[in-house]
Amino acid sequence: MTISDRDREHIFERLRHGAVPERGLEAFAVGIERHRAEIHRLLDLAGSGEGVVKFLRGGYGCGKTFISRLALLDAQAKGFATSFVVVSDNDFHIHKFEVLYRKVVQELGTSSCPKGALGDIVDRWFARVENALIDAGADENSSDFDQKVQKRIDEEIQCLTGGKAPEDLGRVLREVFKLKQAGKVGEAGALLSWLSGSENVASSEKKSAGVKGDISTQDALAYLRGILEIVKAAGYGGLVIVIDEAETILRMRSDVRGKSLNGIRQIVDAADKFPGLFWIFTGTPDFFDTRRGVAGLQPLHDRIQFQREGGLVSMRQPQLELRPFDRARLKDVGLRLRQLYPGGDPNIVAQKVSPEVIEARVDEVTKGFGGDVGIVPRQFLRTLVNMFDVIAENPDADLQRQARTSDLPRTPVEDRAAEGKKPVEYEPEPEDQKGYGVEF
């Protein structure tokens, strides 16, 4: 595949900081062909009008964030809009649907607008509404053309959502169109911010559209359905939403855990009411299998339980299992990155970083983890990229004199793994085995 110099720089800059790149992932994706094929199958289902949900299951270092990021790139290549959000104990509990809605909409992206794409999507939809009226015989130069567009905007919202869209959704969109036609871009932007879930829009800005207050948790999913339909009406195949690091729920208070798990259950149960929406959740085995997590909420556990059949695992079940890296796969990733490296003379890097050197680096990184290759991909990639950088900047230096990888700092999760502890830190509670009640 062809990858731009800009994307090469992006890949290595992200890897230097132990983060998953947002672009160019296909260039060093190794050993996930079957998983990717399953994601593509579900994208095709969503594109045909199905509402689907998938849970990516894997331990730390298995590549959950990587494959979910790659899924978004694949989705955008197929004409979908996408959004990527991360569960946080500080500012994002899944059961608070108004927060979920705000984060999803504010992170909307497309192939042409990677982030903050709501305004672009709405503009594309407005243009389609106008073109449909013109094709039907309306005169775009007539004095009442804009009024016809506003009327059609409201009619389409109601038609697309089966009449279930909140009335304020239509009001705001009509006013946004009106303000843009009048050249009042700032005022239109304020209303789009309100539609994105912002709680910081002045009442005077909202007054022009006849709305009060903010989007509530009770209405948030109805607004999300409206946004989904606008996305599709604007010409996109559907919407893919990633909810990353669901295992963070395990660190929350018992009442918040129960509410969050019930929030996921509600999303799963309502999937068929969101045609063209593909949810992807990522989580660790602990999150799915313990009573502190999914197994503690029986209705959710029954719906998405992970199953084996004669030691084999189907890719098509609700949970898609990601296996840990092995030595060969980690080496293959290293070789691909060596080919992609953008700095200095690539022949120098290729000459000094041989396959044997990469194998030795795998052994070096895994020393502190009892030889466990699966736990160290990010640490390995950071140290490997550092090696590339040092060689590119010092082509005459002796590789054997470079700093050992043990000198490089580890993340808290890697420190816990080196101590034989679980990546997610929480104190077990007596109530964990009681599980959670169903909430609506």
Side-chain angles (χ1 to χ4, degrees):
M1 65 170 293
T2 302
I3 183 167
S4 69
D5 291 341
R6 179 171 174 266
D7 283 352
R8 289 172 190 261
E9 292 288 355
H10 168 78
I11 288 170
F12 283 90
E13 190 61 26
R14 294 284 288 178
L15 293 178
R16 288 182 184 103
H17 296 277
V20 176
E22 296 180 13
R23 305 190 306 274
L25 299 176
E26 186 177 7
F28 62 105
V30 175
I32 56 173
E33 294 78 13
R34 293 179 63 213
H35 303 81
R36 200 173 176 193
E38 171 61 8
I39 296 294
H40 286 190
R41 182 184 74 85
L42 294 175
L43 283 171
D44 290 341
L45 274 177
S48 69
E50 294 287 334
V52 291
V53 185
K54 198 72 170 183
F55 294 84
L56 302 187
R57 167 196 178 95
Y60 178 80
C62 285
K64 298 184 297 297
T65 300
F66 181 96
I67 195 171
S68 59
R69 286 282 189 191
L70 182 57
L72 295 192
L73 292 175
D74 287 344
Q76 289 183 3
K78 286 177 172 285
F80 284 74
T82 64
S83 185
F84 185 98
V85 297
V86 182
V87 178
S88 168
D89 196 14
N90 296 321
D91 66 354
F92 177 33
H93 297 164
I94 292 177
H95 68 282
K96 294 183 177 179
F97 287 153
E98 80 281 12
V99 180
L100 169 63
Y101 172 85
R102 179 172 68 247
K103 288 187 172 291
V104 165
V105 176
Q106 291 180 349
E107 292 296 318
L108 274 178
T110 65
S111 59
S112 60
C113 185
K115 192 170 292 187
L118 178 62
D120 181 67
I121 291 169
V122 168
D123 284 345
R124 287 172 182 262
W125 177 52
F126 286 165
R128 284 181 165 239
V129 171
E130 290 176 315
N131 289 335
L133 285 170
I134 293 169
D135 290 343
D139 180 3
E140 62 181 313
N141 296 314
S142 66
S143 59
D144 64 344
F145 182 72
D146 285 355
Q147 286 74 27
K148 290 180 179 179
V149 174
Q150 292 178 62
K151 181 181 179 184
R152 178 63 73 89
I153 286 171
D154 194 53
E155 290 172 347
E156 284 209 11
I157 284 292
Q158 294 305 313
C159 178
L160 292 170
T161 62
K164 296 181 179 179
E167 291 184 5
D168 282 350
L169 177 61
R171 290 193 185 103
V172 168
L173 288 167
R174 291 197 307 272
E175 187 65 16
V176 167
F177 175 79
K178 180 180 175 182
L179 289 168
K180 287 195 171 190
Q181 292 300 96
K184 298 180 179 180
V185 179
E187 292 87 339
L191 288 179
L192 283 173
S193 293
W194 181 88
L195 189 56
S196 297
S198 173
E199 298 175 340
N200 299 315
V201 179
S203 57
S204 58
E205 303 281 7
K206 291 183 281 189
K207 186 177 181 181
S208 68
V211 298
K212 298 179 179 180
D214 302 309
I215 295 173
S216 68
T217 193
Q218 291 79 13
D219 293 333
L221 291 185
Y223 275 94
L224 182 60
R225 171 67 190 279
I227 295 296
L228 169 64
E229 296 302 338
I230 291 169
V231 164
K232 293 187 294 182
Y236 295 96
L239 174 61
V240 181
I241 300 172
V242 169
I243 307 294
D244 198 23
E245 298 185 10
E247 68 271 11
T248 303
I249 292 172
L250 297 176
R251 297 203 301 264
M252 299 177 184
R253 297 194 321 265
S254 176
D255 60 325
V256 178
R257 293 199 304 272
K259 291 178 183 296
S260 296
L261 291 167
N262 269 286
I264 296 174
R265 176 193 60 78
Q266 289 176 262
I267 289 171
V268 172
D269 288 351
D272 63 338
K273 297 180 177 64
F274 291 79
L277 176 55
F278 179 8
W279 294 91
I280 299 175
F281 292 83
T282 76
T284 60
D286 256 11
F287 171 68
F288 293 109
D289 298 342
T290 66
R291 297 284 295 173
R292 190 181 179 95
V294 170
L297 182 60
Q298 197 63 44
L300 179 59
H301 180 64
D302 290 344
R303 288 162 176 74
I304 70 170
Q305 183 177 9
F306 184 66
Q307 302 179 75
R308 299 182 186 275
E309 187 71 33
L312 300 176
V313 173
S314 169
M315 294 274 178
R316 297 192 175 195
Q317 63 177 305
Q319 292 185 41
L320 179 60
E321 184 182 40
L322 304 181
R323 303 296 299 166
F325 277 75
D326 56 24
R327 287 175 54 85
R329 187 176 164 201
L330 210 54
K331 176 184 173 182
D332 196 359
V333 171
L335 290 172
R336 293 195 185 196
L337 288 173
R338 182 185 68 165
Q339 294 176 332
L340 290 172
Y341 186 74
D345 182 349
N347 292 327
I348 293 295
V349 173
Q351 179 184 348
K352 294 204 170 187
V353 185
S354 65
E356 292 74 24
V357 169
I358 291 177
E359 286 180 347
R361 181 52 52 102
V362 172
D363 293 337
E364 173 74 17
V365 173
T366 56
K367 275 183 181 178
F369 300 93
D372 184 356
V373 178
I375 200 69
V376 299
R378 292 194 186 191
Q379 175 79 347
F380 167 73
L381 293 175
R382 287 202 308 275
T383 64
L384 187 67
V385 170
N386 187 65
M387 180 197 297
F388 293 167
D389 290 340
V390 169
I391 291 172
E393 295 169 15
N394 306 274
D396 297 326
D398 184 354
L399 183 65
Q400 300 302 318
R401 296 181 180 178
Q402 304 310 321
R404 306 291 287 176
T405 60
S406 56
D407 296 333
L408 297 176
R410 290 195 293 235
T411 67
V413 171
E414 289 165 343
D415 283 335
R416 291 182 58 76
E419 296 170 7
K421 299 178 181 179
K422 293 181 177 180
V424 177
E425 184 176 10
Y426 60 84
E427 292 297 328
E429 301 172 3
E431 294 80 10
D432 287 353
Q433 296 306 311
K434 295 181 181 179
Y436 312 97
V438 176
E439 300 179 19
F440 297 93

